[in-house]
């Protein structure tokens, strides 16, 4: 067993889940149902699409507990700006959250490395604080790009009519910092906070504790936060600043030499 596979198994064991490649019509139907329950019926990929993606050899993973699907992940191979996996969608039942998503991502990492792919990319809403923490602090991904209104209006059960601004992240699967971050998370050790020292000279944007709840309860206030974030993100990315996440907010600073070198 490789180190990455061992880390993935440890994460699944901690989460009390079995994470494996999806196989068979029952798996594909269960994954489609999970996606429908998360984003609303008819807004996600259906069983036949999931089957086709899996049949082509892409990463379609399911997490189960007591035989029930509690999480799933779907990614496809891409080659723009280098060979990579684009991790399109991940969902975990709310009642099962607490390590299942982490286990799915580590299983995806192990599978990609097994096939010689060393980068996974995906997008996420930069205003959702728990996702920023998960992607940047727990997984060690970096943010090379900001995509304003990337998907247009999704009108699904989560995004509604909100603008779909996204951060695109790059996860360098074989980098030493990523491996060290994963080891730290699995061991339960507290992480270092290297960005805090730069906060005095960098640009900091504090995130709302629960933007998703605010979007449901006060759409106008959520829209104001979206506009305010764009006023920070657009010039920061135009200047080539590096994004880190610490203590509930983003810090934008000039990149170090190591950050300019992918996979360092």
């Amino acid at each position: 067993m490789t180190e990455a596979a061992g880390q993935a198994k440890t994460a699944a064991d901690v989460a009390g889940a079995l994470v494996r490649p999806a196989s068979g019509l029952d798996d594909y139907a269960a994954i489609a149902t999970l996606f429908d329950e998360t984003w609303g019926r008819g807004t996600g990929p259906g069983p036949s699409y999931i089957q086709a993606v899996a049949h082509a050899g892409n990463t379609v993973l399911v997490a189960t507990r007591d035989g029930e699907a509690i999480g799933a992940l779907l990614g496809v191979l891409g080659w723009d700006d280098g060979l990579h996996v684009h991790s399109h969608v991940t969902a975990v039942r709310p009642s099962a959250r607490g390590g299942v998503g982490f286990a799915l991502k580590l299983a995806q990492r192990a599978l990609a490395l097994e096939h010689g792919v060393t980068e996974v990319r995906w997008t996420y809403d930069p205003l959702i604080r728990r996702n920023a923490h998960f992607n940047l602090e727990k997984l060690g991904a970096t943010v090379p790009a900001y995509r304003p209104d990337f998907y247009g209006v999704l009108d699904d059960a989560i995004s509604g009519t909100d603008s779909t601004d996204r951060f695109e992240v790059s996860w360098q699967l074989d980098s030493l910092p990523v491996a060290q971050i994963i080891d730290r998370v699995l061991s339960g050790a507290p992480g270092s906070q290297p960005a805090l020292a730069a906060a005095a000279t960098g640009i900091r944007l504090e995130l709302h504790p629960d933007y998703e709840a605010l979007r449901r309860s006060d759409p106008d206030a959520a829209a104001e936060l979206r506009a305010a974030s764009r006023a920070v993100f657009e010039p920061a990315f135009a200047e080539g600043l590096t994004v880190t996440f610490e203590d509930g907010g983003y810090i934008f600073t000039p990149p170090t030499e190591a950050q300019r070198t992918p996979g360092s």
Side-chain angles (χ1 to χ4, degrees), residues 226-253:
R226 180 73 69 188
S229 72
R230 281 185 175 179
V232 174
F233 296 155
E234 288 177 339
F237 280 87
E239 293 173 24
L241 300 184
T242 292
V243 185
T244 54
F245 179 81
E246 294 286 346
D247 283 356
Y250 294 115
I251 300 170
F252 298 87
T253 55

Side-chain angles (χ1 to χ4, degrees), residues 124-213:
Y124 78 95
D125 186 334
L127 295 190
I128 299 178
R129 194 163 78 173
R130 62 184 174 84
N131 286 350
H133 164 69
F134 179 77
N135 294 328
L136 307 190
E137 288 191 304
K138 289 191 69 173
L139 295 177
T142 59
V143 185
Y146 168 55
R147 310 289 186 189
D149 209 21
F150 186 58
Y151 295 108
V153 176
L154 290 174
D155 200 22
D156 60 23
I158 291 179
S159 300
T161 58
D162 190 13
S163 296
T164 53
D165 294 3
R166 295 292 185 265
F167 276 2
E168 183 173 5
V169 302
S170 170
W171 197 23
Q172 299 292 331
L173 307 181
D174 60 348
S175 79
L176 180 59
V178 165
Q180 291 174 333
I181 288 169
I182 291 170
D183 279 338
R184 172 179 57 77
V185 173
L186 290 175
S187 70
S192 60
Q193 297 178 332
L196 291 181
T201 56
I203 301 167
R204 181 174 176 88
L205 177 69
E206 202 72 32
L207 294 184
H208 188 279
D210 193 342
Y211 179 79
E212 292 170 294

Side-chain angles (χ1 to χ4, degrees), residues 38-60:
T38 302
W39 285 280
R41 183 166 297 280
T43 59
S48 61
Y49 177 81
I50 296 168
Q51 179 181 6
V53 170
H55 179 71
N58 289 285
T59 53
V60 181

Side-chain angles (χ1 to χ4, degrees), residues 35 54-55 77 79 97 112 114 148 153 180 202 217 230 240 243 255:
F35 290 160
H55 179 71
L77 198 65
W79 48 76
R97 287 176 184 165
E114 180 184 333
V153 176
Q180 291 174 333
S217 64
R230 281 185 175 179
V243 185

